[in-house]
C-alpha cells in the first residue's frame, strides 16, 4: 500500500497528485512542480498558508485528473510533525472523496533542511495512520481506505529508501493494532478474549508465547494481580511474549498494564469516568503491538513483553478497602483504594520479570493516574526514572515520533506518603496531591538492580476528538515511541 516512485508525471496517468506548498519558499527541485505551484499562488485565496488548499482539474502540463495543492505555512515551521499531519489530512480527504489512490510529491531535503529519511518517515507514517478506519461495529461501511499511497521522489531516493516503506508499514500496523484493541468494547475484550487475540497475532510472528491462567497465577503467588481480578467473573491472565536474538547479550523488558475494563471496584468510579475505561489496557496494547512490530524489525537484543490482563469489577468476591494482599515479591500491601488497581498488577509483573529475565532495562507503560493528565494534559506522557540517560533517550524518541514525553520527579521523601501501619505499603498515598509521582514511587519499591522507567500514558492513550492522522478513540500511543527507542538504546 505504501510505495516510493520516480515516475515521469508528464507521461504517466495519475488519478490524484498532491503537492505540498510552502508559503514563503519553493521546497521542490522539480521545475514542473514549481511551475504548477506558481500558477496555484496566482489564485488569491491560496498563499500556501498552513491549511490552505486548492485543486486543479486536468492541468495541461501533466496527465493528472486532479492536482491538490496543500499549504504547509512558513519554511521555519516545517518539521516532521507538520509533514506527518499534512499527509494524514491528505489521506483522510481522499477517503472522504471516495478515491482509491494518491501520489504525493515529496519536498527536497535541501530546501526544507531536514534529512530525507526523516522527511519520508514522517510523511509515510502520517499517510498510513491517516488511512486507518475503525468501522467494525457499523452496519454501513460508508468509506473505504485508499488502496495505494505513493510518494514521488527522485530515482536515487526511490532506490536508497526502498526498505524504509516496509519498516514504516510494520510500525504503523503495530500502532493500528493497538488502536483497534483499545477501541474494542469491553464486552468483546474480556481478559480471556483479549489474551487469545494477542497470542494469535504474536504466534504469527514467531514470538515465543507463555500464558499464566488463574490456576498458575495462584500457584506462583501473584497475589496483587489476583486481588484486582477477584471481583470479576472473567479470569486474569499474564501474557509473556519473547523475541530472542541468538547473539544478544542484553535483554529489555516491556511491561504493559492491561485492565480490560476498570469500574474502580468497590471504590466505584462516578458515571462520567466510566465511559472510556475500556482504554485502561492501552499500556498492554502498546507493549504487545510493539513486540509484534519488533519481530519484523529484528532488534539486536532480546525483547520481552510481560502483560497482566485483568478486569476490575465490584462484587461480593471483590477486594475491599482495608484488605491486605501479599505481592509476588513478598511485600504486603494494604488496599487503601480499589481504584488504584493498575499499580497492583504492574508490581507483580515487574517483580516476576526481574526475577525471571534479569534484564538490563525495564520499562513499564500504563494509563496509571488521572493526576498525570492534570499535570501534563491529554497529549503528553509522564516519564519517571532515576536514570538520566534513559530519560533522555525516551524523551528524544518521543520528540521524533511526536509521542511526546516529559520527565517528572521521583522525590524520595514522598515515599513516606504511602506507608502503612499494618502492612509494608499502602496502595494509595495519604494525600490527594502528587498522585502521578506517588504512583510511580510505589512501583519503584518493586524495582531492583535494573535501569527502569515508568511511562504514564493516561493522557495521550485515548482521544476524544479525531486528529490529522488518528480517529477519535484509542491512539496507539507508545508503539512508535517504543519502536524508535529500541532502535536507539
Amino acid at each position: 500500500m505504501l510505495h516510493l516512485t520516480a515516475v515521469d508525471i508528464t507521461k504517466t496517468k495519475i488519478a490524484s497528485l498532491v503537492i505540498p506548498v510552502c508559503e514563503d519558499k519553493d521546497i521542490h527541485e522539480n521545475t514542473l512542480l514549481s511551475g504548477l505551484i506558481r500558477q496555484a499562488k496566482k489564485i488569491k485565496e491560496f498563499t500556501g498558508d498552513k491549511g490552505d488548499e486548492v485543486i486543479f482539474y486536468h492541468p495541461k502540463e501533466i496527465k493528472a485528473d486532479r492536482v491538490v495543492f496543500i499549504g504547509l505555512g512558513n519554511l521555519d515551521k516545517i518539521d516532521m510533525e507538520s509533514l506527518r499531519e499534512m499527509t494524514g489530512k491528505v489521506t483522510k480527504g481522499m477517503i472522504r472523496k471516495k478515491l482509491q489512490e494518491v501520489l504525493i510529491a515529496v519536498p527536497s531535503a535541501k530546501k526544507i533542511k531536514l534529512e530525507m529519511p526523516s522527511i519520508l518517515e514522517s510523511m509515510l507514517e502520517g499517510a498510513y495512520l491517516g488511512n486507518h478506519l475503525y468501522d467494525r461495529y457499523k452496519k454501513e461501511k460508508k468509506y473505504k481506505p485508499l488502496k495505494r499511497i505513493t510518494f514521488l521522489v527522485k530515482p536515487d531516493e526511490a532506490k536508497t529508501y526502498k526498505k524504509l516503506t516496509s519498516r514504516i508499514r510494520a510500525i504503523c500496523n503495530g500502532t493500528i493494532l493497538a488502536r483497534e484493541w483499545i477501541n474494542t468494547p469491553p464486552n468483546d475484550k474480556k481478559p480471556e478474549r483479549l489474551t487469545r487475540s494477542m497470542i494469535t497475532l504474536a504466534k504469527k510472528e514467531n514470538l515465543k508465547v507463555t500464558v499464566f491462567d488463574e490456576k498458575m497465577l495462584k500457584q506462583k503467588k501473584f497475589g496483587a494481580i489476583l486481588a484486582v481480578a477477584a471481583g470479576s467473573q472473567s479470569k486474569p491472565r499474564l501474557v509473556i511474549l519473547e523475541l530472542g536474538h541468538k547473539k544478544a547479550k542484553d535483554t529489555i523488558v516491556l511491561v504493559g498494564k492491561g485492565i480490560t475494563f476498570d469500574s474502580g471496584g468497590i471504590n466505584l468510579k462516578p458515571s462520567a469516568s466510566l465511559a472510556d475505561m475500556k482504554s485502561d489496557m492501552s499500556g498492554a496494547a502498546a507493549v504487545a503491538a510493539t513486540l509484534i512490530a519488533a519481530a519484523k524489525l529484528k532488534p539486536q537484543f532480546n525483547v520481552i513483553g510481560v502483560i497482566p490482563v485483568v478486569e476490575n469489577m465490584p462484587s461480593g468476591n471483590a477486594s475491599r478497602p482495608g484488605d491486605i494482599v501479599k505481592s509476588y515479591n513478598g511485600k504486603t500491601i494494604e488496599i487503601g483504594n480499589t481504584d488504584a488497581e493498575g499499580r497492583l498488577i504492574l508490581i507483580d509483573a515487574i517483580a516476576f520479570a526481574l526475577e525471571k529475565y534479569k534484564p538490563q532495562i525495564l520499562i513499564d507503560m500504563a494509563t496509571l493516574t488521572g493526576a498525570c493528565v492534570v499535570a501534563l494534559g491529554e497529549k503528553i506522557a509522564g516519564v519517571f526514572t532515576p536514570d538520566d540517560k534513559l530519560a533522555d533517550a525516551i524523551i528524544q524518541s518521543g520528540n521524533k515520533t511526536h509521542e511526546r514525553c516529559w520527565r517528572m520527579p521521583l522525590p524520595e521523601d514522598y515515599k513516606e506518603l504511602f506507608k502503612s501501619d499494618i502492612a509494608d505499603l499502602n496502595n494509595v498515598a495519604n494525600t490527594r496531591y502528587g498522585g502521578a509521582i506517588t504512583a510511580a514511587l510505589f512501583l519503584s519499591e518493586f524495582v531492583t538492580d535494573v535501569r527502569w522507567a515508568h511511562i504514564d500514558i493516561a493522557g495521550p492513550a485515548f482521544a476524544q476528538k479525531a486528529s490529522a492522522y488518528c480517529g477519535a478513540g484509542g491512539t496507539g500511543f507508545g508503539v512508535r515511541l517504543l519502536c524508535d527507542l529500541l532502535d536507539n538504546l
Side-chain angles (χ1 to χ4, degrees):
M1 194 259 292
L2 284 179
H3 304 276
L4 302 180
T5 187
V7 297
D8 184 342
I9 57 176
T10 64
K11 297 178 180 178
T12 305
K13 184 169 176 55
I14 302 163
S16 302
L17 171 64
V18 173
I19 305 177
V21 180
C22 178
E23 188 172 15
D24 55 346
K25 296 287 183 181
D26 181 2
I27 55 174
H28 298 276
E29 293 183 52
N30 186 312
T31 55
L32 184 54
L33 296 181
S34 298
L36 288 167
I37 290 169
R38 285 193 294 272
Q39 290 183 47
K41 284 190 171 182
K42 289 179 181 178
I43 298 172
K44 186 176 180 181
E45 58 267 33
F46 182 82
T47 64
D49 192 11
K50 189 172 183 178
D52 279 1
E53 179 178 325
V54 69
I55 303 175
F56 288 178
Y57 292 94
H58 302 287
K60 62 182 181 179
E61 294 86 351
I62 59 175
K63 298 179 71 173
D65 294 339
R66 65 186 61 76
V67 178
V68 183
F69 300 88
I70 298 290
L72 288 172
N74 288 334
L75 181 65
D76 61 357
K77 299 294 184 182
I78 298 175
D79 56 16
M80 289 183 70
E81 180 61 10
S82 64
L83 294 174
R84 200 178 281 120
E85 288 182 343
M86 180 269 294
T87 55
K89 289 177 181 177
V90 163
T91 303
K92 287 187 172 185
M94 294 293 164
I95 291 171
R96 287 193 296 271
K97 292 180 174 69
K98 298 188 176 181
L99 301 172
Q100 294 187 333
E101 60 183 53
V102 64
L103 175 66
I104 304 174
V106 176
S108 166
K110 294 178 182 177
K111 299 212 173 184
I112 65 173
K113 298 177 183 178
L114 287 172
E115 298 292 332
M116 184 51 70
S118 297
I119 295 171
L120 289 174
E121 184 175 329
S122 54
M123 292 181 72
L124 267 64
E125 282 180 352
Y128 200 99
L129 295 173
N131 200 39
H132 173 235
L133 300 173
Y134 188 74
D135 57 6
R136 182 182 302 174
Y137 291 88
K138 292 191 175 184
K139 182 179 179 181
E140 181 185 359
K141 316 293 185 186
K142 188 175 181 181
Y143 298 108
K144 293 182 179 180
L146 302 184
K147 292 182 177 180
R148 187 179 181 90
I149 303 173
T150 308
F151 293 84
L152 182 64
V153 294
K154 293 187 291 188
D156 61 317
E157 293 168 343
K159 184 177 180 180
T160 301
Y161 301 110
K162 184 179 179 181
K163 291 183 179 180
L164 181 63
T165 58
S166 59
R167 172 181 167 77
I168 298 301
R169 191 181 299 114
I171 294 170
C172 290
N173 277 336
T175 301
I176 289 168
L177 176 59
R179 287 180 182 177
E180 298 212 339
W181 276 330
I182 297 163
N183 286 333
T184 300
N187 57 314
D188 278 350
K189 66 172 177 195
K190 292 184 178 181
E192 302 95 323
R193 193 161 176 179
L194 178 60
T195 297
R196 282 199 301 272
S197 177
M198 289 178 173
I199 291 169
T200 299
L201 294 171
K203 285 184 175 179
K204 285 182 180 180
E205 301 302 329
N206 296 315
L207 293 172
K208 181 181 177 182
V209 178
T210 305
V211 179
F212 292 172
D213 60 10
E214 184 182 41
K215 182 179 178 181
M216 185 67 74
L217 291 170
K218 287 180 178 178
Q219 287 177 356
K220 292 184 176 291
K221 299 182 180 179
F222 285 83
I225 289 177
L226 290 165
V228 176
S232 175
Q233 292 181 349
S234 297
K235 304 305 179 185
R237 297 287 189 272
L238 183 70
V239 181
I240 304 156
L241 307 178
E242 298 182 44
L243 176 61
H245 190 281
K246 290 181 180 179
K247 297 182 180 180
K249 295 181 180 179
D250 295 330
T251 297
I252 295 177
V253 167
L254 305 176
V255 177
K257 172 189 169 185
I259 303 289
T260 59
F261 185 78
D262 182 17
S263 69
I266 295 295
N267 293 107
L268 190 68
K269 292 178 183 289
S271 296
S273 300
L274 287 169
D276 300 335
M277 283 300 102
K278 67 179 182 180
S279 68
D280 210 22
M281 38 63 69
S282 296
V287 167
T290 297
L291 265 291
I292 289 167
K296 294 185 176 76
L297 304 176
K298 296 179 171 53
Q300 299 300 303
F301 38 78
N302 301 317
V303 186
I304 313 295
V306 180
I307 305 164
V309 185
V310 179
E311 187 178 50
N312 184 25
M313 298 292 283
S315 76
N317 295 322
S319 296
R320 299 157 290 269
D323 284 358
I324 294 178
V325 299
K326 190 174 184 179
S327 67
Y328 181 85
N329 85 341
K331 288 183 181 180
T332 57
I333 299 115
E334 180 184 3
I335 297 179
N337 190 312
T338 63
D339 195 24
E341 83 301 325
R343 65 200 68 182
L344 293 178
I345 68 170
L346 287 174
I347 60 173
D348 271 3
I350 288 169
F352 166 77
L354 293 176
E355 178 185 88
K356 172 75 173 176
Y357 298 103
K358 297 177 175 54
Q360 282 66 50
I361 295 175
L362 187 146
I363 298 170
D364 73 81
M365 183 169 280
T367 47
L368 202 62
T369 65
C372 199
V373 188
V374 173
L376 297 176
E378 296 179 327
K379 295 184 178 182
I380 300 174
V383 176
F384 300 81
T385 177
D387 188 310
D388 292 341
K389 288 185 178 179
L390 185 55
D392 290 344
I394 292 169
I395 291 167
Q396 185 176 345
S397 288
N399 290 338
K400 181 183 175 185
T401 59
H402 205 67
E403 295 193 334
R404 293 169 291 175
C405 299
W406 189 264
R407 190 177 185 185
M408 302 285 278
L410 286 170
E412 282 289 318
D413 55 316
Y414 278 35
K415 289 183 177 180
E416 297 292 323
L417 299 173
F418 51 80
K419 281 190 173 180
S420 168
D421 293 332
I422 55 176
D424 293 320
L425 300 166
N426 196 303
N427 77 324
V428 290
N430 59 17
T431 175
R432 60 182 291 192
Y433 303 110
I437 297 171
T438 54
L441 285 167
F442 179 84
L443 298 181
S444 75
E445 289 290 292
F446 298 82
V447 176
T448 54
D449 300 322
V450 68
R451 298 177 66 195
W452 162 75
H454 159 61
I455 306 177
D456 192 332
I457 62 170
F462 197 86
Q464 298 298 331
K465 295 181 179 179
S467 64
Y469 51 90
C470 183
T475 63
F477 185 101
V479 178
R480 292 186 298 118
L481 168 69
L482 290 175
C483 285
D484 189 77
L485 185 64
L486 291 176
D487 262 356
N488 294 308
L489 283 175

